[in-house]
Amino acid sequence: MNRIVEATAELISRHGLSATTLDDVVAASGTSKGQVFHYFPGGKDELLLAVAQYEADRVHARMDERMPELSSWSAWSQWRDQLVGQYDIHGNDCPMTTLVVDLHRAGPGARALIAETAARLQSRIRTGIHQMQAEGLVGAHVDADAIAHSLVAGIHGGATLLQLATGADSHIGSVIDTAVEQLKGTASQRTAVHPR
């Protein structure tokens, strides 16, 4: 079963959902149509939901492994560089891009997974901003939820542009850089004199 899901995910990442056929999946996974329907009796919809879960799990694993706690400016810089580097290296083979660009069409179950994944990233950003507010590094008046929402939307938008149009990750880096500058500008005078 895992082999079928992984092969389907790779095909969608390379060619897009609309260009990926069941025959492609069978050939890439080295299985038969009978095996595919044995594991996924609901057919294509059930298979695509499994692929969406696989890609969501990959996003969560990368987040847990590579995303630092955003409680200092150096941590934000590290996260920015890691994220841009990830898109630099993997390009279209980014699980979040595959989720947002292709698998959102796989039905409500897949869309729920995308929403959950975005919410998890938003929560990490929001928590980091709250920690920095507690330390005086970010102004207490800042709406952490609004910043987190706009950052996640900007990152996903940049990833979509990368895959569908530009092939460049510059939008993703710019979104984070702009947010950081905005957040730094809200810090108290005391924080500005002694940046962390």
Side-chain angles (χ1 to χ4, degrees):
M1 182 173 77
N2 290 343
R3 185 169 52 174
I4 295 169
V5 171
E6 290 172 11
T8 307
E10 185 175 349
L11 287 167
I12 292 172
S13 175
R14 284 185 186 175
H15 309 295
L17 178 58
S18 58
T20 298
T21 67
L22 185 57
D23 287 335
D24 295 329
V25 171
V26 167
S29 62
T31 57
S32 67
K33 286 186 181 179
Q35 287 174 296
V36 172
F37 284 103
H38 170 75
Y39 289 113
F40 304 100
K44 185 177 181 181
D45 289 345
E46 188 174 348
L47 172 58
L48 291 177
L49 182 57
V51 173
Q53 183 66 66
Y54 168 77
E55 295 291 19
D57 289 344
R58 288 177 68 202
V59 173
H60 297 164
R62 286 185 180 180
M63 230 186 280
D64 292 341
E65 179 185 348
R66 301 176 189 176
M67 186 175 180
E69 188 176 275
L70 299 176
S71 57
S72 69
W73 297 126
S74 61
W76 280 81
S77 179
Q78 178 188 347
W79 174 52
R80 183 245 191 241
D81 291 346
Q82 286 177 346
L83 193 61
V84 171
Q86 173 182 313
Y87 281 102
D88 229 6
I89 294 168
H90 298 288
N92 288 355
D93 184 29
C94 170
M96 193 68 216
T97 304
T98 301
L99 269 172
V100 173
V101 173
D102 285 304
L103 291 170
H104 74 278
R105 292 178 282 173
R111 289 193 290 274
L113 286 169
I114 295 168
E116 177 193 342
T117 302
R120 186 180 291 204
L121 177 55
Q122 286 169 195
S123 176
R124 285 176 176 247
I125 295 169
R126 181 174 59 247
T127 297
I129 293 172
H130 284 158
Q131 288 174 330
M132 295 180 75
Q133 285 175 316
E135 296 182 28
L137 297 171
V138 171
H141 65 282
V142 168
D143 185 339
D145 281 318
I147 297 290
H149 276 87
S150 62
L151 262 171
V152 170
I155 290 166
H156 291 173
T160 301
L161 283 171
L162 180 152
Q163 185 176 40
L164 299 181
T166 66
D169 55 30
S170 55
H171 292 89
I172 298 164
S174 295
V175 164
I176 299 174
D177 291 341
T178 301
V180 167
E181 288 307 308
Q182 180 182 353
L183 289 170
K184 284 182 176 179
T186 69
S188 67
Q189 188 61 40
R190 178 174 170 271
T191 303
V193 174
H194 302 287
R196 185 173 173 187

